[in-house]
Amino acid sequence: MTVGEKQAGTGNPPEVLDGPFSTRQLLRIDEALRLADQGTGLVFSVFVGGLDEPIREHAERLHRQLAEPDRSVLIAVSPNQRQLEIVTGRHARKRIPDTYARLAALSMVAAFGGGDLAGGIINGLDQLASHAGKG
């Protein structure tokens, strides 16, 4: 479903439009995800919402539910809890070691602190993809 489509049978727009992002921001995040995927051969995903305690375990559960968890990178952000987790699969971790994921996280947190949730996610995706390189 694209951002502008209505949910079948409800006449209502999808719930994603009720979230913290404008349509323009959603399109920019979608483009950043597409570029990261195409440029690296890895699969990048973003989750924005509440995370259950313990936070890291919840993010890892979300990551395991992805279609290709070994090749996937999940950025899980809970703005209300002020939490960020980056989870990399077995294959992805070889190309994006924890040290580089932490650097991207620091950059994202700085942007979030300045009130730029979408920009932080986009910059984080770019940094992670740049480090992973071509796959």
Side-chain angles (χ1 to χ4, degrees):
M1 176 182 334
T2 63
V3 172
E5 290 180 19
K6 296 185 184 248
Q7 291 177 331
T10 67
N12 296 323
E15 291 177 23
V16 72
L17 294 179
D18 294 334
F21 303 113
S22 68
T23 301
R24 183 174 184 273
Q25 289 171 323
L26 286 170
L27 292 172
R28 288 179 55 220
I29 292 169
D30 186 58
E31 177 71 3
L33 284 164
R34 187 183 64 74
L35 291 172
D37 288 357
Q38 287 179 346
T40 64
L42 298 174
V43 181
F44 287 82
S45 299
V46 174
F47 172 86
V48 178
L51 294 165
D52 299 331
E53 295 286 342
I55 301 293
R56 179 67 186 187
E57 288 179 19
H58 187 188
E60 288 172 347
R61 278 195 313 275
L62 292 171
H63 181 265
R64 284 192 301 270
Q65 294 172 6
L66 298 173
E68 298 182 71
D70 283 345
R71 294 184 46 244
S72 295
V73 178
L74 172 68
I75 297 173
V77 182
S78 178
N80 292 339
Q81 294 168 290
R82 303 179 70 85
Q83 294 289 326
L84 166 66
E85 291 289 340
I86 299 174
V87 183
T88 52
R90 186 174 44 91
H91 177 69
R93 192 172 306 114
K94 292 176 185 174
R95 297 177 50 201
I96 305 172
D98 289 346
T99 302
Y100 291 99
R102 280 188 206 101
L103 289 173
L106 287 173
S107 173
M108 293 171 71
V109 167
F112 298 163
D116 190 4
L117 184 60
I121 291 169
I122 292 164
N123 289 337
L125 285 165
D126 182 58
Q127 288 179 7
L128 292 167
S130 293
H131 185 75
K134 298 237 184 251

